[in-house]
C-alpha cells in the first residue's frame, strides 16, 4: 500500500520510527512532513497529506503532531477526508471498520513508539465493514456538500 505521512517538529523522531515500521511491513511511504526540529505549523502538513489522499496520490495517510488533534483538524477541512485521532488500537480498528477513515492521526506526546506501531498496524489491518456503516459514512460526507 502507498501511504503518505506528515508531521510537525514535535513528531520528527516518531515519524522516523513509523516510516521504518511501515517499510518493514512492505508499504511504500511518501514523506510529506518536516525533517526539521525547528518549530513549524502542523496545519500545513495536515493539509498536504489530506490533499494527497483526496487526489489519490497515496491510498491512506498518517499524521503525527504533539497530540494528533490539530493536524487532524486541518486534514478534515479537505473534502473527502475522514481523519481520526487514535490513541489506542480499539479506536483505530473502529475508525476503519465503521467510519472508513482514510487518515490516521496520533500524538507523539501522547503515545510511545511501540503503542503507535500497534495503532498503525491495527488500523491498516482492518477493513471497512460497509453495510449500515456505509449509510453513516455517506451522511458524514453529505455534510461537506451542504451550503454553509
Amino acid at each position: 500500500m502507498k501511504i503518505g505521512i506528515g508531521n510537525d517538529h514535535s513528531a520528527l523522531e516518531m515519524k522516523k520510527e513509523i516510516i521504518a515500521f511501515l517499510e518493514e511491513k512492505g508499504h511504500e511511504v511518501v514523506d510529506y512532513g518536516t525533517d526539521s526540529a525547528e518549530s513549524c505549523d502542523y496545519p500545513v502538513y495536515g493539509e498536504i497529506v489530506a490533499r494527497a489522499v483526496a487526489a489519490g496520490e497515496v491510498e491512506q495517510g498518517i499524521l503525527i503532531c504533539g497530540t494528533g488533534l490539530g493536524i487532524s483538524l486541518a486534514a478534515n477541512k479537505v473534502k473527502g477526508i475522514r481523519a481520526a485521532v487514535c490513541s489506542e488500537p480499539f479506536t483505530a480498528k473502529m475508525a476503519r471498520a465503521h467510519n472508513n477513515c482514510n487518515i490516521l492521526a496520533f500524538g507523539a506526546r501522547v503515545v510511545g513508539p511501540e503503542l503507535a506501531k500497534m495503532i498503525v498496524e491495527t488500523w491498516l489491518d482492518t477493513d471497512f465493514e460497509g453495510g449500515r456503516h456505509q449509510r453513516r459514512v455517506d451522511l458524514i460526507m453529505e455534510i461537506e456538500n451542504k451550503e454553509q
Side-chain angles (χ1 to χ4, degrees), residues 8 17 34 44 79 88 90 105 108 129-130 136:
D8 71 359
E17 290 201 44
T34 187
V44 171
K79 188 171 185 167
E88 36 66 39
F90 180 75
E129 293 178 2
R136 294 166 183 159

Side-chain angles (χ1 to χ4, degrees), residues 61-64 67-69 71-72 83-87 103-107 119:
I62 296 174
L63 295 171
I64 318 167
T67 63
L69 294 170
I71 203 164
S72 69
V85 180
C86 302
S87 298
I103 295 181
L104 170 67
F106 53 89
I119 293 166

Side-chain angles (χ1 to χ4, degrees), residues 31-48:
D31 184 353
Y32 295 101
T34 187
D35 285 322
S36 172
E38 288 187 38
S39 183
C40 64
D41 298 321
Y42 55 79
V44 171
Y45 301 100
E47 180 182 7
I48 290 169

Side-chain angles (χ1 to χ4, degrees), residues 77-138:
K77 297 295 182 182
V78 174
K79 188 171 185 167
I81 295 304
R82 291 173 308 284
V85 180
C86 302
S87 298
E88 36 66 39
F90 180 75
T91 303
K93 180 180 176 99
M94 293 298 103
R96 285 288 302 137
H98 291 187
N99 306 120
N100 201 18
C101 285
N102 47 15
I103 295 181
L104 170 67
F106 53 89
R109 295 177 178 150
V110 177
V111 301
E114 295 308 312
L115 179 55
K117 291 172 190 174
M118 284 190 277
I119 293 166
V120 168
E121 185 168 42
T122 299
W123 186 71
L124 290 173
D125 288 349
T126 302
D127 292 323
F128 178 52
E129 293 178 2
R132 72 181 193 275
H133 303 296
Q134 183 62 59
R135 184 180 79 251
R136 294 166 183 159
V137 170
D138 291 343

